[in-house]
Short mmCIF file of all heavy atoms in Angstrom, two decimals:
data_model
loop_
_atom_site.label_atom_id
_atom_site.label_comp_id
_atom_site.label_asym_id
_atom_site.label_seq_id
_atom_site.Cartn_x
_atom_site.Cartn_y
_atom_site.Cartn_z
N LEU A 1365 -73.57 25.83 -69.06
CA LEU A 1365 -72.16 25.99 -68.74
C LEU A 1365 -71.71 27.43 -68.93
O LEU A 1365 -70.93 27.96 -68.13
CB LEU A 1365 -71.33 25.05 -69.62
CG LEU A 1365 -69.83 24.95 -69.29
CD1 LEU A 1365 -69.64 24.35 -67.90
CD2 LEU A 1365 -69.11 24.09 -70.32
N LEU A 1366 -72.19 28.08 -69.98
CA LEU A 1366 -71.89 29.50 -70.18
C LEU A 1366 -72.36 30.33 -68.99
O LEU A 1366 -71.62 31.18 -68.48
CB LEU A 1366 -72.57 30.00 -71.45
CG LEU A 1366 -71.93 29.69 -72.80
CD1 LEU A 1366 -72.81 30.23 -73.93
CD2 LEU A 1366 -70.55 30.32 -72.88
N CYS A 1367 -73.57 30.06 -68.55
CA CYS A 1367 -74.14 30.85 -67.44
C CYS A 1367 -73.39 30.60 -66.14
O CYS A 1367 -73.09 31.53 -65.40
CB CYS A 1367 -75.62 30.50 -67.27
SG CYS A 1367 -76.68 31.12 -68.61
N VAL A 1368 -73.09 29.34 -65.85
CA VAL A 1368 -72.50 29.00 -64.57
C VAL A 1368 -71.06 29.49 -64.45
O VAL A 1368 -70.57 29.77 -63.36
CB VAL A 1368 -72.60 27.49 -64.31
CG1 VAL A 1368 -71.48 26.72 -64.98
CG2 VAL A 1368 -72.63 27.16 -62.83
N LEU A 1369 -70.38 29.65 -65.58
CA LEU A 1369 -68.99 30.08 -65.55
C LEU A 1369 -68.82 31.58 -65.77
O LEU A 1369 -67.90 32.19 -65.21
CB LEU A 1369 -68.16 29.33 -66.59
CG LEU A 1369 -67.91 27.84 -66.36
CD1 LEU A 1369 -67.07 27.27 -67.49
CD2 LEU A 1369 -67.23 27.59 -65.02
N PHE A 1370 -69.69 32.18 -66.58
CA PHE A 1370 -69.42 33.55 -67.03
C PHE A 1370 -70.53 34.57 -66.72
O PHE A 1370 -70.28 35.77 -66.85
CB PHE A 1370 -69.15 33.56 -68.54
CG PHE A 1370 -68.04 32.64 -68.96
CD1 PHE A 1370 -68.30 31.51 -69.71
CD2 PHE A 1370 -66.74 32.90 -68.59
CE1 PHE A 1370 -67.28 30.66 -70.10
CE2 PHE A 1370 -65.70 32.06 -68.97
CZ PHE A 1370 -65.98 30.94 -69.72
N ILE A 1371 -71.72 34.13 -66.37
CA ILE A 1371 -72.81 35.06 -66.12
C ILE A 1371 -73.08 35.12 -64.62
O ILE A 1371 -73.55 34.15 -64.03
CB ILE A 1371 -74.10 34.64 -66.87
CG1 ILE A 1371 -73.81 34.47 -68.36
CG2 ILE A 1371 -75.18 35.69 -66.64
CD1 ILE A 1371 -73.35 35.72 -69.06
N LYS A 1372 -72.79 36.25 -64.01
CA LYS A 1372 -72.99 36.41 -62.58
C LYS A 1372 -74.48 36.59 -62.27
O LYS A 1372 -75.17 37.37 -62.92
CB LYS A 1372 -72.19 37.61 -62.08
CG LYS A 1372 -72.29 37.85 -60.59
CD LYS A 1372 -71.44 39.04 -60.18
CE LYS A 1372 -71.56 39.29 -58.67
NZ LYS A 1372 -70.73 40.44 -58.25
N GLY A 1373 -74.95 35.85 -61.28
CA GLY A 1373 -76.31 36.05 -60.80
C GLY A 1373 -77.33 35.04 -61.27
O GLY A 1373 -78.48 35.10 -60.83
N THR A 1374 -76.97 34.12 -62.13
CA THR A 1374 -77.95 33.11 -62.53
C THR A 1374 -78.18 32.15 -61.36
O THR A 1374 -77.30 31.92 -60.54
CB THR A 1374 -77.48 32.31 -63.76
OG1 THR A 1374 -76.21 31.72 -63.50
CG2 THR A 1374 -77.36 33.22 -64.97
N ASN A 1375 -79.38 31.60 -61.31
CA ASN A 1375 -79.74 30.73 -60.19
C ASN A 1375 -80.54 29.53 -60.68
O ASN A 1375 -80.73 29.33 -61.89
CB ASN A 1375 -80.52 31.52 -59.13
CG ASN A 1375 -81.73 32.23 -59.73
OD1 ASN A 1375 -82.54 31.63 -60.43
ND2 ASN A 1375 -81.84 33.54 -59.45
N THR A 1376 -81.00 28.73 -59.72
CA THR A 1376 -81.64 27.46 -60.05
C THR A 1376 -82.94 27.66 -60.82
O THR A 1376 -83.27 26.87 -61.71
CB THR A 1376 -81.94 26.68 -58.76
OG1 THR A 1376 -80.77 26.67 -57.93
CG2 THR A 1376 -82.33 25.24 -59.07
N TYR A 1377 -83.70 28.73 -60.52
CA TYR A 1377 -84.95 28.97 -61.24
C TYR A 1377 -84.68 29.22 -62.72
O TYR A 1377 -85.38 28.68 -63.60
CB TYR A 1377 -85.69 30.15 -60.62
CG TYR A 1377 -86.12 29.91 -59.20
CD1 TYR A 1377 -85.45 30.51 -58.13
CD2 TYR A 1377 -87.18 29.05 -58.90
CE1 TYR A 1377 -85.83 30.29 -56.82
CE2 TYR A 1377 -87.57 28.81 -57.59
CZ TYR A 1377 -86.89 29.43 -56.55
OH TYR A 1377 -87.26 29.20 -55.25
N GLY A 1378 -83.68 30.03 -63.01
CA GLY A 1378 -83.33 30.27 -64.40
C GLY A 1378 -82.81 29.03 -65.08
O GLY A 1378 -83.10 28.78 -66.26
N SER A 1379 -82.05 28.22 -64.34
CA SER A 1379 -81.51 26.99 -64.90
C SER A 1379 -82.63 26.03 -65.30
O SER A 1379 -82.59 25.43 -66.37
CB SER A 1379 -80.58 26.32 -63.88
OG SER A 1379 -80.05 25.12 -64.38
N ILE A 1380 -83.64 25.90 -64.45
CA ILE A 1380 -84.77 25.03 -64.77
C ILE A 1380 -85.52 25.54 -65.99
O ILE A 1380 -85.90 24.78 -66.89
CB ILE A 1380 -85.72 24.92 -63.56
CG1 ILE A 1380 -85.02 24.19 -62.41
CG2 ILE A 1380 -87.01 24.21 -63.95
CD1 ILE A 1380 -85.83 24.15 -61.13
N ALA A 1381 -85.74 26.86 -66.04
CA ALA A 1381 -86.45 27.45 -67.18
C ALA A 1381 -85.69 27.21 -68.48
O ALA A 1381 -86.28 26.84 -69.50
CB ALA A 1381 -86.66 28.95 -66.95
N GLY A 1382 -84.37 27.43 -68.45
CA GLY A 1382 -83.57 27.18 -69.64
C GLY A 1382 -83.60 25.73 -70.06
O GLY A 1382 -83.66 25.41 -71.26
N TYR A 1383 -83.57 24.84 -69.10
CA TYR A 1383 -83.63 23.40 -69.36
C TYR A 1383 -84.94 23.05 -70.07
O TYR A 1383 -84.94 22.36 -71.11
CB TYR A 1383 -83.53 22.66 -68.03
CG TYR A 1383 -83.27 21.18 -68.10
CD1 TYR A 1383 -82.04 20.64 -67.74
CD2 TYR A 1383 -84.27 20.29 -68.50
CE1 TYR A 1383 -81.79 19.28 -67.79
CE2 TYR A 1383 -84.04 18.93 -68.55
CZ TYR A 1383 -82.79 18.42 -68.18
OH TYR A 1383 -82.56 17.07 -68.23
#
Side-chain angles (χ1 to χ4, degrees):
L1365 188 64
L1366 281 177
C1367 289
V1368 83
L1369 291 180
F1370 304 112
I1371 306 298
K1372 182 179 179 179
T1374 57
N1375 54 50
T1376 312
Y1377 296 105
S1379 179
I1380 294 174
Y1383 193 108

